[in-house]
Amino acid sequence: MSERIVVVGAALVDDGRLLAARRSAPVELAGRWELPGGKVEPGETADAALVRELREELGVDAEADGRVPGEWPLKSPYVLQVWTARLRPGSAAPEPLEDHDELRWLRPGEIWDVNWLDQDVPAVRQTLAHLGAAEGLT
Ligand code: CDP
């Protein structure tokens, strides 16, 4: 049986809004929205991978503050896990530096306005169930 590789997605929340990122590549994913993130590298923890990916992809200084329960299958061998994250004080505002061509801070009621990747839909739904009320997202 082959190993599975975890892809971490960030539920980056700020001021009651959730960040969504529109992919610019590869072509089959371009135009679809996702929780930004990427693959956990060998020897790396999931939360460290999340902080690294957010720095690389969005230029932000973020911290992971807890995992959303659950795991969603991607194309084998990848599985998607979601961590909640927030910007550290003094962080730059997120910018689409690589992989993305647009960002949106979604307010409650706007969460389903973007065309999420199919596999992110259950992950976003679970994220809202997990932190919606506490973060003012629902
Ligand atoms: O940046 P890195 O190469 O580590 O990873 P990526 O290309 O951003 O993501 C790896 C795979 O996970 C891709 O096939 C993405 O489509 C998928 N992914 C996803 O389905 N949902 C996310 N929220 C993030 C990544």
Side-chain angles (χ1 to χ4, degrees):
M1 206 177 82
S2 62
E3 283 296 305
R4 71 209 221 309
I5 300 174
V6 174
V7 172
V8 285
L12 185 60
V13 175
D14 190 59
D15 194 21
R17 303 163 307 166
L18 175 69
L19 191 76
R22 191 171 71 180
R23 288 198 69 110
S24 51
V27 279
E28 63 273 19
L29 303 180
R32 306 290 297 276
W33 294 75
E34 68 174 9
L35 298 173
K39 303 177 197 92
V40 178
E41 290 176 355
E44 190 179 41
T45 60
D47 55 333
L50 193 82
V51 169
R52 175 182 53 73
E53 290 283 351
L54 293 179
R55 188 185 327 109
E56 290 171 2
E57 294 185 357
L58 307 175
V60 297
D61 183 20
E63 63 189 347
D65 58 9
R67 186 173 155 202
V68 174
E71 186 170 273
W72 297 274
L74 303 174
K75 208 169 87 175
S76 179
Y78 300 106
V79 295
L80 177 64
Q81 296 182 356
V82 176
W83 289 68
T84 58
R86 57 195 69 249
L87 297 176
R88 288 176 179 275
S91 171
E95 286 184 83
L97 300 178
E98 52 181 49
D99 296 351
H100 305 113
D101 61 6
E102 195 178 333
L103 303 177
R104 267 188 76 177
W105 285 108
L106 300 171
R107 299 183 176 281
E110 297 177 341
I111 306 286
W112 302 109
D113 288 359
V114 301
N115 188 12
W116 293 101
L117 289 173
D118 293 346
Q119 57 269 30
D120 279 46
V121 169
V124 171
R125 198 179 292 128
Q126 178 64 22
T127 297
L128 294 181
H130 183 68
L131 53 69
E135 294 287 352
L137 280 173
T138 51

